[in-house]
């Protein structure tokens, strides 16, 4: 099928690591390459899988106390680049932007932090910027990219991988995109509600 796309490279940046093991094992078995940052990268490597640092791709370290890790044209170009667009493909080659076919993100726990009675400073640090941007980028380019926007979708992707290997249909990618915009909408609504108080 023309709309079936293979997953070759996955960018994984999650707050909660629980439930990720089985998904990582299946992706690794399917020959998918991992790209990650910080704690997630350490977690992936602790399971015995090779994982390239995002910093190796961007040539920038994680800066501003971790506030800026994935926000870089080489990361977002790799997600947003349209695989069938000749101009996009040429620019990706020109700037050595790797194709990223799968993005797995789990946002900072903003609502839980508010509920815990944390300080305003702590709450503000739990407003996810890179993660929400990755979710929106992956969802926007669902034509080429699979976006897993929370751990609730780990099992959904795992079922697909078990049935059809590291390949997805456009319909499946659109379903993940729909869930992704649901996640981002809910998240921003919660932040907006907190600011309004």
């Amino acid at each position: 099928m023309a709309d079936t796309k293979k997953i070759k490279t996955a960018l994984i940046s999650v707050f909660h690591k629980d439930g990720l093991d089985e998904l990582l094992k299946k992706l690794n078995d399917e020959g998918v390459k991992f790209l990650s940052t910080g704690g997630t990268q350490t977690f992936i490597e602790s399971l015995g899988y090779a994982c390239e640092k995002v910093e190796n791709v961007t040539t920038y370290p994680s800066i501003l106390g971790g506030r800026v890790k994935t926000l870089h044209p080489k990361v977002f170009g790799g997600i947003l680049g349209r695989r069938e667009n000749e101009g996009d493909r040429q620019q990706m080659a020109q700037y050595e932007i790797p194709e990223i076919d799968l993005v797995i993100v789990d946002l900072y726990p903003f609502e839980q932090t508010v509920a815990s009675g944390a300080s305003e400073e702590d709450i503000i640090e739990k407003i996810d910027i890179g993660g929400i941007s990755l979710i929106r980028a992956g969802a926007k380019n669902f034509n080429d990219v699979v976006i897993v926007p929370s751990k609730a979708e780990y099992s959904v992707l795992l079922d697909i991988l078990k049935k059809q290997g590291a390949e997805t249909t456009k319909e499946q990618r659109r379903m993940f995109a729909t869930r992704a915009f649901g996640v981002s909408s809910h998240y921003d609504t919660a932040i907006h509600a907190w600011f309004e108080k």
Side-chain angles (χ1 to χ4, degrees):
M1 289 189 307
D3 72 354
T4 300
K5 301 272 173 158
K6 188 139 184 64
I7 299 169
K8 298 183 285 289
T9 301
L11 172 63
I12 306 160
S13 180
V14 298
F15 186 83
H16 298 102
K17 317 291 187 280
D18 52 307
L20 197 56
D21 317 40
E22 202 181 348
L23 188 52
L24 288 170
K25 182 184 186 313
K26 183 63 179 161
L27 287 165
N28 185 69
D29 290 348
E30 292 288 337
V32 175
K33 275 174 46 186
F34 298 139
L35 190 59
S36 192
T37 59
T40 308
Q41 181 210 333
T42 305
F43 175 74
I44 293 168
E45 289 174 342
S46 77
L47 296 173
Y49 309 129
C51 181
E52 187 174 9
K53 284 183 178 179
V54 165
E55 294 93 301
N56 292 354
V57 175
T58 64
T59 69
Y60 270 83
S62 170
I63 59 170
L64 309 182
R67 278 184 159 200
V68 180
K69 295 188 280 276
T70 55
L71 295 160
H72 192 280
K74 283 202 174 180
V75 174
F76 281 83
I79 297 167
L80 287 163
R82 293 160 291 188
R83 313 305 195 249
E84 265 100 64
N85 182 301
E86 187 54 39
D88 285 11
R89 285 215 317 273
Q90 284 175 0
Q91 285 193 318
M92 288 173 84
Q94 180 185 351
Y95 296 109
E96 298 177 347
I97 296 171
E99 287 184 2
I100 296 169
D101 316 295
L102 167 63
V103 179
I104 301 175
V105 184
D106 175 35
L107 298 168
Y108 291 155
F110 179 81
E111 288 173 283
Q112 294 90 314
T113 305
V114 171
S116 75
S119 68
E120 179 169 301
E121 189 183 6
D122 286 345
I123 289 167
I124 285 170
E125 287 312 309
K126 288 295 182 281
I127 297 174
D128 207 306
I129 303 300
I132 205 84
S133 303
L134 290 168
I135 285 175
R136 291 178 65 84
K140 176 172 179 164
N141 201 22
F142 72 90
N143 201 48
D144 297 305
V145 177
V146 179
I147 174 66
V148 174
S150 76
K151 63 179 184 176
E153 283 75 34
Y154 293 175
S155 62
V156 182
L157 179 59
L158 187 61
D159 287 346
I160 290 169
L161 294 168
K162 284 176 178 172
K163 286 188 190 108
Q164 57 203 56
E167 287 190 342
T168 57
T169 64
K170 187 169 182 177
E171 190 182 350
Q172 288 165 338
R173 293 189 300 278
R174 192 183 183 100
M175 175 269 296
F176 280 114
T178 304
R179 289 178 177 218
F181 283 118
V183 167
S184 76
S185 171
H186 177 90
Y187 197 74
D188 281 340
T189 299
I191 293 168
H192 177 244
W194 179 75
F195 270 94
E196 279 219 307
K197 282 181 191 157

